[in-house]
Amino acid sequence: MKIRFDKMTVAFKEVVAVNQLDLEIPEGELVCLLGPSGCGKSTTLFALAGLYKPTSGKILFNEQDVSGLPPEKRGIGLVFQNYALYAHMTVEQNILFPLENRRVPKDEARKRALKAAQLCKIDGLLKRKPSQLSGGQQQRVAIARALVKNPTILLLDEPLSNLDARLRIEMREEIRRIQQATKVTTIFVTHDQEEAMSISDRLVVMKDGVLQQSASPQDMYNHPANLFVAKFLGNPPINIVEGSVKGGKIYVADQHIADKEIRDCEHAYIGIRPEGFKIAETAEDKKRGFKVKIDYCEVLGRDTTLHFNLGGVPVRAIVISEGNIKSGDEVTIVVRRHCLHVFDGETEVAINE
Amino acid sequence: MNDDGQMLIFGEEQTTGNEYSLPVEEIAPRSKTQDRYFFRNLKNYVVRTAKSFKYAAIKCFKTYTNFSAFVPNASRKVRAFGRFWRENANPLVFLSRLGEFWTDLTIWARKKHRFFDFYIWGAIFGLCCIVLGIIYDPLTMDYDSGKYIHISFVAKMKIPFFTCMAICLFGFVQTAFGVNNIYRKLINITRRYPITMALIEGIIAIGASLCFTIGKDDFWKSIMVPSIVFLILYVYVYLDCEVGLLSRFIFRKSDDGSNALAGNIKGFLYLTPALLPMIVFTFYPMINAILMGFVKFDKTFVFTDWSFLTFLNKVFTNDAFRKNNLTLQWFKDTLTDPGFYHSLITTVIIVLITVPISTGISVVIAVLMNSIKKFQGLYQTIYFLPYVTAMTAVTSVWRLILGENGILNLIINSSTNWLNSADPMFIIGSYEYLGIGSGGEYFGISKWAYQAYPQLIGFVIYSIWDGLAFKIVIFLTGLQGIDKQVYQAAQLDGSTRLRTFRKITLPLLAPIMLFITTTSMIGAFKTYTSTKSLFLNNPRFETIVFYMFKYIDGTKTAYDKASAVGVVLFIIIMSFTGIRMFLKNRKKEKNAPVQAKKVKGHKTGSAKQVARQGGGN
């Protein structure tokens, strides 16, 4: 189902958790709501589920306003952060519970429960109680319970935050698989950008209740809409230095570092991804690049991390381990054009023209 | 039996040469799993034990006797028998040989059956000890008259009792001080130098026998029995250091294999500040009260003479006391007194009405109170106030409510005096109803009918109200412990509020429900103060505690009888609580198979489904 937020605001007393959210989510996509803690992503999710009422604005499912509908009538499956399984029921009873509430005939309910369990690979655990399951299994039960209702939208609220690193990778692939199998529109809340980028069709980044950018992961990485998004995505993080743009030339502390066909800007933030640096080898590169003194370098097998100063700011560059650069060397460095982002010094919005 | 059977049978090396004798060090310490296994497979265990007894018997038979049916070469056997007899002519040596053999046997059995356990063997020895005490010395010399007299069972039990106590103590001490290794060495020494050890044992046995037999006529009988007792003690020690019989329960080894006692002593030390007052003010009086129920106080033994040790001393030394002051009379009196049954019925009525109603109401109030957001603290305070208010103050208000012109009468528009009406409201049971017929007696009760006065109803109403405060607070705590997201999940799953309450809130509150019903049931059985303050000194019904207090009220000092009633009350409360627990467990078990069945049916269903699908494809 297509979801659209129309200027939705959720406020608790004086705190505005979500501010004027305008967002469209196409049908059948796996969308990640991404942002630091307290940015309003869970609130958005709960508002979508109907557990919170929007203070103003609308939520539309297939262009129909559902803002006033109670949660049970929205056809939504929600997986809570701590799974919220019914501790006194077995796995099977847990999965059957939503169906019993809908008075689905018993045989059919059983069939559907088994199907959901098989999809989540927990059909061998039906007799157990949640306390006898591992974290990953509990999470699958929660997903099965959400899926058994045949929801039109599946919401997951930081479902991987309680799992260990290895299980997390396994489970996020599992979630992807289940989403692909059911083709249900899925919204996934997380604060882990790596997790978000690896499984989602679309990323939605929020900050302090305000939508920052909504795009596909690679698109967002390559074309961040503002400084916050650029800083938030990528590991190791992007290097930000202050500089200026004059006539298509970018200067950092009066040093010309690269060219870009954009408008002039007195005060700008220049963002360069660590992998956006290259050591000049050809004559042309050497002419185009600029000289820096390497403070120290870490050789990590395939890659080498170079640390140097650019406009008084420590900068990290990742280059392929070639030649032998040592700490204290002076090298010429070129910036790859597509890894260079310029943001307005006042508004912090990306300058692309 | 093979050709060199002789050597095997009687040679010095026999114990080490046999297949059942294994080095002591080889025995692995028992694990917890083994313990669990033991308790789960008691039947299997008993069978195994019985089998091993059989094997042991056969082994014993084959080793120590020469029965010609088993033996082809008879003359050799006869010679062997003679040699055996020469070697073992001394019964003490024979006994110690037997002890030696026993050790080998236990080791062999433990090796043979991995889960072989000696707990039952220990119990058998304990029983043997007691039976021995009964058989042994049925007549005791009366030193004054120089004749044998019959004495009571208790007196006869003296020796076995103290022997058992000594054995237990010995076991505790040796485990507590970690002398297991010493005994291990001792066993090895015994195995290496059996004759020396047999001699030492013999000397010990003779010494012990002499202690027991000084001044007695029947020397041989007297010397044999203590020897056997000491042998048992010896074997017990063997077993205890092998597997730990009784002491094992107390001084369990910790999981990491460190010295369990060191940890335990620390734990006990931490516990002492709490434990000491408990022992002094709860357990000691409790034991005394129970014992007092079996005592009749008279001129020779007045209540002020009572102390635990005096009582024990008199029981074991004073024949006149045993004859005159030990009695079951009070229990008989209590259980045949119509007044007791009257109070029992009253109490049961109070329990069965107040506890469920009060619990039900308080759950509902707690759930409602949990759902309100504003003024929750205020409401909690209001509902908890009665609990902190003095009972006399509360009951004076209730006297106004229940009085003839009280609010209750105003509401239900009646003129009953709920505090002091002599007209019974209903009568339970009667002479005819029980079908005993006129003039007959039933359990010594000549007339049996229970009359319930309005007071009881008034009290039940008060009691329900009185219990609410505490229960609501406890339920609220329980409710607040339930994750809110579970309710949100239920809401998303389309559960109605009533269904959420029934299917989620109540099951999750079950442990607290159990706690509340159990404690309030116990409390209701002990109803006394509230009746006393509500009806002042004019109650028309008696609870059991009331009945008990009749005997020690004011000038009366029938502590013996009151104690007996107390013991009966204790047993009643225990059994009711037991029933409550049993019902809860049965409910659990009842649920489990149903689930299993469900799943089973469902599984077969799915299998069919799969098959059908397969066929279709």
Side-chain angles (χ1 to χ4, degrees), chain A residues 16-285:
Chain A
V16 181
V18 181
N19 198 359
Q20 301 275 330
L21 180 69
D22 270 315
L23 180 65
E24 208 173 293
I25 292 166
E27 189 171 349
E29 280 199 354
L30 200 163
V31 178
C32 268
L33 281 179
L34 187 62
S37 300
C39 73
K41 45 193 195 309
S42 287
T43 313
T44 310
L45 202 74
F46 287 146
L48 197 59
L51 297 172
Y52 296 158
K53 289 243 147 49
T55 321
S56 67
K58 286 178 198 164
I59 301 168
L60 301 121
F61 288 179
N62 283 349
E63 297 307 318
Q64 274 185 329
D65 188 3
V66 294
S67 313
L69 276 184
E72 60 269 23
K73 289 192 180 156
R74 294 193 185 190
I76 273 177
L78 175 59
V79 177
F80 288 90
Q81 186 169 359
N82 57 1
Y83 318 136
L85 296 176
Y86 310 125
H88 58 288
M89 298 185 192
T90 61
V91 168
E92 192 187 26
Q93 287 168 328
N94 260 291
I95 300 175
L96 280 174
F97 188 71
L99 299 180
E100 282 167 5
N101 290 331
R102 273 148 211 246
R103 289 159 207 265
V104 176
K106 275 197 175 170
D107 291 342
E108 199 202 323
R110 290 258 168 73
K111 268 182 217 162
R112 274 168 70 175
L114 187 68
K115 216 174 134 195
Q118 278 165 347
L119 186 70
C120 300
K121 297 183 181 167
I122 45 160
D123 45 332
L125 310 169
L126 290 176
K127 272 186 279 180
R128 295 212 207 158
K129 290 257 171 93
S131 55
Q132 297 165 315
L133 301 178
S134 70
Q137 288 168 334
Q138 285 185 14
Q139 198 220 27
R140 285 167 211 239
V141 175
I143 294 176
R145 187 178 69 181
L147 283 176
V148 80
K149 297 183 270 188
N150 291 340
T152 46
I153 302 164
L154 179 64
L155 308 177
L156 300 116
D157 182 16
E158 305 213 17
L160 305 179
S161 59
N162 290 348
L163 306 178
D164 65 66
R166 174 176 280 219
L167 199 56
R168 202 179 277 202
I169 293 168
E170 198 178 293
M171 281 315 294
R172 75 186 186 203
E173 280 158 12
E174 199 76 346
I175 288 170
R176 183 67 180 157
R177 179 184 66 78
I178 292 167
Q179 196 267 338
Q180 299 268 313
T182 54
K183 295 263 183 321
V184 62
T185 313
T186 305
I187 300 178
F188 184 104
V189 163
T190 179
H191 57 253
D192 183 342
Q193 48 105 3
E194 192 197 323
E195 198 173 288
M197 289 182 80
S198 61
I199 64 166
S200 55
D201 296 319
R202 173 182 291 270
L203 282 185
V204 176
V205 176
M206 291 177 77
K207 182 200 171 192
D208 298 338
V210 181
L211 175 70
Q212 302 292 312
Q213 193 179 0
S214 160
S216 74
Q218 202 52 43
D219 202 24
M220 193 177 279
Y221 187 78
N222 290 336
H223 306 287
N226 58 34
L227 189 60
F228 174 79
V229 176
K231 273 183 182 169
F232 198 77
L233 292 186
N235 186 28
I238 194 167
N239 301 298
I240 304 286
V241 289
E242 285 182 53
S244 59
V245 188
K246 263 178 223 154
K249 291 186 170 178
I250 296 163
Y251 295 93
V252 174
D254 297 330
Q255 190 176 28
H256 170 228
I257 59 160
D259 300 330
K260 202 171 189 184
E261 295 297 313
I262 49 171
R263 68 175 166 84
D264 286 3
C265 185
E266 269 300 303
H267 176 226
Y269 289 107
I270 319 293
I272 310 161
R273 298 254 174 230
E275 68 272 22
F277 294 99
K278 192 171 77 177
I279 292 165
E281 281 155 0
T282 61
E284 192 196 343
D285 275 354

Side-chain angles (χ1 to χ4, degrees), chain B residues 29-92:
Chain B
R30 289 163 48 79
S31 68
K32 275 193 172 176
T33 352
Q34 283 176 337
D35 277 344
R36 245 176 262 136
Y37 183 93
F38 162 55
F39 286 115
R40 254 186 241 147
N41 299 285
L42 202 64
K43 189 188 149 202
N44 196 3
Y45 170 81
V46 171
V47 170
R48 277 204 181 139
T49 313
K51 267 188 187 168
S52 60
F53 265 118
K54 194 178 124 197
Y55 294 145
I58 292 170
K59 206 95 198 169
C60 190
F61 189 67
K62 280 184 180 172
T63 317
Y64 283 97
T65 69
N66 274 297
F67 194 62
S68 54
F70 287 101
V71 191
N73 192 342
S75 62
R76 239 171 115 191
K77 294 304 151 194
V78 171
R79 253 187 289 134
F81 187 76
R83 205 168 137 201
F84 168 77
W85 191 242
R86 273 201 304 284
E87 275 182 12
N88 298 289
N90 183 342
L92 290 175

Side-chain angles (χ1 to χ4, degrees), chain B residues 250-253 259-270:
Chain B
I250 314 293
F251 302 101
R252 228 169 236 286
K253 270 223 160 176
N259 189 354
L261 189 74
N264 277 355
I265 278 184
K266 238 182 187 175
F268 283 127
L269 275 180
Y270 290 141

Side-chain angles (χ1 to χ4, degrees), chain B residues 270-328:
Chain B
Y270 290 141
L271 276 177
T272 28
L275 209 61
L276 270 182
M278 277 285 273
I279 290 168
V280 174
F281 296 112
T282 308
F283 296 124
Y284 181 69
M286 200 170 92
I287 290 163
N288 279 342
I290 290 171
L291 291 179
M292 227 182 262
F294 297 90
V295 168
K296 193 159 115 192
F297 291 118
D298 58 12
K299 277 173 196 166
T300 56
F301 188 59
V302 289
F303 172 67
T304 44
D305 283 348
W306 175 274
S307 90
F308 184 63
L309 288 180
T310 334
F311 171 75
L312 277 193
N313 189 21
K314 287 209 172 217
V315 165
F316 285 111
T317 57
N318 194 332
D319 284 343
F321 177 84
R322 275 199 295 273
K323 203 174 160 193
N324 299 327
N325 294 59
L326 276 186
T327 175
L328 288 171

Side-chain angles (χ1 to χ4, degrees), chain B residues 174-207:
Chain B
Q174 62 106 347
T175 318
F177 294 103
V179 288
N180 279 3
N181 285 333
I182 298 173
Y183 275 101
R184 248 163 218 286
K185 275 175 192 154
L186 206 67
I187 290 170
N188 279 337
I189 293 168
T190 320
R191 292 164 57 71
R192 217 167 291 158
Y193 312 105
I195 295 177
T196 323
M197 282 310 283
L199 279 175
I200 294 170
E201 283 166 43
I203 291 162
I204 292 172
I206 290 167

